[in-house]
Amino acid sequence: MATRLRKHVGDLIFDCSKLDLVSPESRAKFRDRIGWVQTDEDSGHYKLWHAKILHKDGQDKFDRDAVFLNPILMRVGTSV
């Protein structure tokens, strides 16, 4: 699902060009928006509900009153 979203609407979600999303290296700059948590210098992991892109005010923790209300997601939903 993530691959499909990235290919079809990733440029709208991140307000970037499609070229910014073609490789893992070029996508690294978006990690903080999608829940990446750095655990040490060389590793980390994604926390599902800690993605700023999911929450209304760009919070990086789960808030049931703000989840799926990010204006960026609303814009993408209406443009598809």
Side-chain angles (χ1 to χ4, degrees), residues 48-67:
L48 179 62
W49 293 110
H50 291 245
K52 293 177 183 180
I53 196 73
L54 294 179
H55 295 90
K56 180 173 145 182
D57 300 319
Q59 301 174 70
D60 61 354
K61 61 181 179 169
F62 180 76
D63 179 353
R64 69 181 180 95
D65 295 322
V67 71

Side-chain angles (χ1 to χ4, degrees), residues 5-76:
L5 283 171
R6 184 177 63 242
K7 284 184 177 183
H8 294 285
V9 293
D11 57 326
L12 293 173
I13 292 171
F14 295 110
D15 193 24
C16 66
S17 76
K18 290 195 181 284
L19 292 175
D20 288 329
L21 302 171
V22 296
S23 71
E25 294 79 20
S26 66
R27 293 189 300 263
K29 61 185 163 194
F30 304 110
R31 283 181 170 177
D32 68 320
R33 293 196 222 167
I34 57 174
W36 180 259
V37 177
Q38 193 79 30
T39 53
D40 61 36
E41 189 175 313
D42 296 326
S43 65
H45 62 277
Y46 290 100
K47 291 185 92 171
L48 179 62
W49 293 110
H50 291 245
K52 293 177 183 180
I53 196 73
L54 294 179
H55 295 90
K56 180 173 145 182
D57 300 319
Q59 301 174 70
D60 61 354
K61 61 181 179 169
F62 180 76
D63 179 353
R64 69 181 180 95
D65 295 322
V67 71
F68 303 122
L69 295 177
N70 189 309
I72 295 168
L73 295 180
M74 300 295 179
R75 184 182 72 219
V76 170

